[in-house]
Amino acid sequence: MSNTKEFAFFPGCVLSQAAKESKMSLEAIAPILGITLHEIKGWSCCGASQAQCVDPMASLVANARNIALGESMNMPILTTCSTCMLTLTKAKNTLDKGAKEHINKFLAEGNMQYQGSTEITSLLWVLYQNLDTLKSKVTKPLSDLKVALFYGCHSLRPEKELVKESSTNPKSFEAVVEALGATIVPFEKRLDCCGFHASYPAVKSVQKMSSQIVGSADSNGADVVVTPCPLCQMQLDIYQERYQDAQGSKIRKPIIHLSQLVGLALGLSNKELGLDLNIQDATKLVS
């Protein structure tokens, strides 16, 4: 990020409404880090790894269209939603392995074409690839903040689709947070599933899973749980009261987005980062 990096930005549905603080904080930190975001015009829902089970062909066409829109901008596609990144990447892999010609017949009806010419990346990965620049922009090192890092499934798995780093021994998130000066606490739940996609069919199991994540972070002395995935953030933040009550736990813990943590280290205010919009109070993390 030593020079301005431009990206075709795919916000995804959740950043448009339910997790708008994630988009706010991303847009706040981007110019400081030399990142320019150009939102893809006309993007549509990626299907969130669920529509594919109902109609895989329609989902593949929809995501080929999303990628083609980004390709037309001649920029790599960036998303800060781990599920969007996985879904778009899986679609790209399928298209590049032989489905492109067939799917382009559908896109041709809208005068579009998938070429396979652009990269799909995430905020976490861009930060990891530019650690020196990130460190140079830190104005308020988070030395007094104890952080539990929660990757979430779709930041890492399935490894054969994402092909970025080990899904059992990842290092990107730790490296980024260390660059911000925060103290990373031991956290045995860091690679677990938050349960977001199973919230309705397996609510009791998900309540237990989510509660154990919050409890583990607390028992290891974390002030806050940070995640690069807005769906994980929603699961652990929005539903925390309900799930903790169901498990008979009194523990409450702030759950924030990676972009919000970065913003704190860059000296941005709670308001600029949307920390006042988080459900569990996250406005007192940095004095």
Side-chain angles (χ1 to χ4, degrees):
M1 292 179 294
S2 53
N3 298 312
T4 299
K5 288 193 176 293
E6 297 191 66
F7 293 95
F9 176 44
F10 185 87
C13 301
V14 70
L15 263 67
S16 302
Q17 293 295 330
K20 62 182 179 181
E21 72 280 356
S22 179
K23 188 168 186 279
M24 285 174 58
S25 52
L26 173 61
E27 291 176 338
I29 68 173
I32 300 173
L33 297 174
I35 295 172
T36 302
L37 302 172
H38 303 275
E39 185 167 333
I40 297 172
K41 294 180 180 178
W43 64 268
S44 64
C45 177
C46 73
S49 295
Q50 293 175 324
Q52 289 80 355
C53 297
V54 178
D55 193 331
M57 182 60 69
S59 296
L60 183 57
V61 172
N63 283 302
R65 175 185 173 277
N66 281 325
I67 299 170
L69 288 171
E71 288 178 335
S72 69
M73 299 166 69
N74 295 312
M75 301 172 193
I77 296 172
L78 181 143
T79 179
T80 193
C81 175
S82 300
T83 296
C84 289
M85 183 186 69
L86 173 61
T87 305
L88 290 169
T89 300
K90 288 178 71 174
K92 178 176 173 57
N93 291 344
T94 300
L95 292 162
D96 291 346
K97 289 175 181 176
K100 178 171 71 172
E101 184 176 345
H102 178 61
I103 297 303
N104 272 336
K105 293 177 182 178
F106 294 97
L107 297 186
E109 296 182 21
N111 297 315
M112 300 177 67
Q113 184 181 50
Y114 169 85
Q115 298 176 15
S117 62
T118 195
E119 175 192 7
I120 298 169
T121 190
S122 68
L123 173 64
L124 173 59
W125 202 249
V126 169
L127 294 174
Y128 180 54
Q129 291 176 311
N130 296 275
L131 289 174
D132 289 341
T133 300
L134 178 61
K135 289 179 184 177
S136 73
K137 298 297 183 180
V138 171
T139 60
K140 198 170 186 178
L142 305 176
S143 52
D144 294 331
L145 197 62
K146 296 178 180 178
V147 180
L149 307 186
F150 188 77
Y151 274 91
C153 298
H154 293 167
S155 298
L156 300 168
R157 301 188 288 272
E159 186 177 334
K160 65 181 179 63
E161 295 281 1
L162 293 172
V163 197
K164 290 191 180 296
E165 62 181 322
S166 169
S167 61
T168 56
N169 186 30
K171 299 177 181 178
S172 59
F173 201 2
E174 285 80 1
V176 168
V177 174
E178 285 172 357
L180 304 178
T183 299
I184 301 171
V185 303
F187 185 42
E188 59 270 24
K189 298 292 183 180
R190 69 193 254 274
L191 303 181
D192 280 16
C193 174
C194 73
F196 181 88
H197 293 281
S199 294
Y200 292 108
V203 63
K204 290 185 178 180
S205 295
V206 170
Q207 286 175 350
K208 185 176 181 181
M209 291 162 59
S210 295
S211 179
Q212 286 177 343
I213 292 165
V214 174
S216 176
D218 184 73
S219 66
N220 284 295
D223 300 313
V224 61
V225 177
V226 182
T227 178
C229 178
L231 299 185
C232 291
Q233 193 278 337
M234 287 173 57
Q235 180 71 9
L236 298 174
D237 184 41
I238 292 176
Y239 302 113
Q240 187 176 138
E241 295 276 349
R242 184 188 310 174
Y243 291 170
Q244 293 296 79
D245 286 347
Q247 295 299 308
S249 174
K250 301 294 183 183
I251 298 170
R252 302 293 184 266
K253 192 66 56 178
I255 315 290
I256 68 172
H257 302 277
L258 170 60
S259 50
Q260 290 179 315
L261 186 74
V262 172
L264 289 174
L266 299 183
L268 297 174
S269 69
N270 288 336
K271 198 75 176 176
E272 290 173 295
L273 300 172
L275 283 162
D276 55 325
L277 299 177
N278 291 43
I279 302 302
Q280 300 302 318
D281 187 9
T283 61
K284 299 179 179 63
L285 292 174
V286 177
S287 58

